[in-house]
Amino acid sequence: MPPVKPMLAKSVARIPPDMQYEAKWDGFRAIVFRDGAEVELGSRTGKSLTRYFPELVAALQDRVPERCVLDGEIVIARDGRLDFDALTERIHPAASRVRTLAERTPASFVAFDLLALQDESLLDVPQNDRRKLLTRALSGVIAPVHVAPATTDIEVAQRWFEQYEGAGLDGVIAKPLTLRYRPDERAMFKIKHERTADVVVAGYRFHKSGPVVGSLLLGLHDDEGTLQHVGVSAAFPMKRRAELVAELEPLRMEDAGGHPWAAWSQEAAHESARLPGAPSRWSGKKDLSWVAIRPERVAEVAYDHMENGVRFRHTARFRRWRPDREPESCTYAQLEEPVRYDLNEILG
């Protein structure tokens, strides 16, 4: 019975041998509970996603066993590529808006584990046996429900790692063959793409604990020379957070009027354009105030991939300052573009 928290993965640098390998899907992790006409979609935190994906509820009622619990990912594909932005738009309070989006950009469910079937819990069944039960239970299933491709061939997994990014996927997941299902534990392994980029540091937010840096605000120049906000870097030891405040103090601007992101401070601008840093249904009442600094310092950061080619999908990891680089040289042109790969080739 819900809620059940999904089993998680910890990051490793290389694909480990002798395991089951799957693509790492870039969507909403979901545990599907079906009992006859009842279908519940549970999020990673245990909260319900059911009302946001009515088209999936109907599809699951029609396509999966009458009594089962499935682990998988809710995704939306557009033009042969995963579209995370379209997915986040679904988390909307208006039912009419959700229905409209369900018709315009329907979601799919990619199943990669089976936790229960009929009256039997499978949590203590080894991974390789659960995989066999999953493929048998969902044999012949049709879109928008899919079974995630899997392999035990590490060379195939390496090829997936290199190719699948072009379809918007996030890397590779490795699962020990004898692994029992362990909810909310990092018992699997994830191997993600990592690249570096030189970015302009143009501001920061304070940490929730006090007057030390919580996150650095990062920018890149577009083709017109405008500095666009592309993400944040936030993982620092507490001592380093205090040092960063002192390092950036000479660049601090008392008045953000001449800053490239001055419009962030104008509520009217947020109403007419969706600017980074604006309050949203995700941020709620979170303090999004920021400190503007002159955009003169360049940092090298590591990132996994870009979202829609315009911003870092996840928090970037600070590597070092680059005093040898000019801010104007930090452009989108330096970013590596993955070779495009059609998502339909993966899901069949």
Side-chain angles (χ1 to χ4, degrees), residues 10 16 44 93 105 134 195 220 266:
K10 54 189 173 185
R44 175 172 166 172
T105 53
L134 171 69
R195 300 174 174 85
L220 287 173
Q266 302 169 10

Side-chain angles (χ1 to χ4, degrees), residues 209-220:
S209 66
V212 296
V213 167
S215 60
L216 299 176
L217 306 180
L218 313 176
L220 287 173

Side-chain angles (χ1 to χ4, degrees), residues 29-41:
R29 185 75 174 275
I31 305 290
V32 168
F33 303 83
R34 186 192 174 193
D35 188 357
E38 294 181 90
V39 172
E40 177 69 19
L41 308 179

Side-chain angles (χ1 to χ4, degrees), residues 204-215 238 241-242 245 252 287 289 291:
Y204 62 87
R205 292 194 177 102
F206 283 116
H207 194 266
K208 59 185 178 181
S209 66
V212 296
V213 167
S215 60
M238 193 55 68
R241 294 182 188 277
V245 173
R252 184 168 179 167
D287 182 12
S289 59
V291 176

Side-chain angles (χ1 to χ4, degrees), residues 85 220 228-231 306-312 332 335:
D85 271 355
L220 287 173
Q228 302 288 352
H229 176 62
V230 294
M306 303 295 289
E307 187 172 317
N308 293 329
V310 296
R311 59 184 176 273
F312 299 133
Y332 282 97
L335 303 180

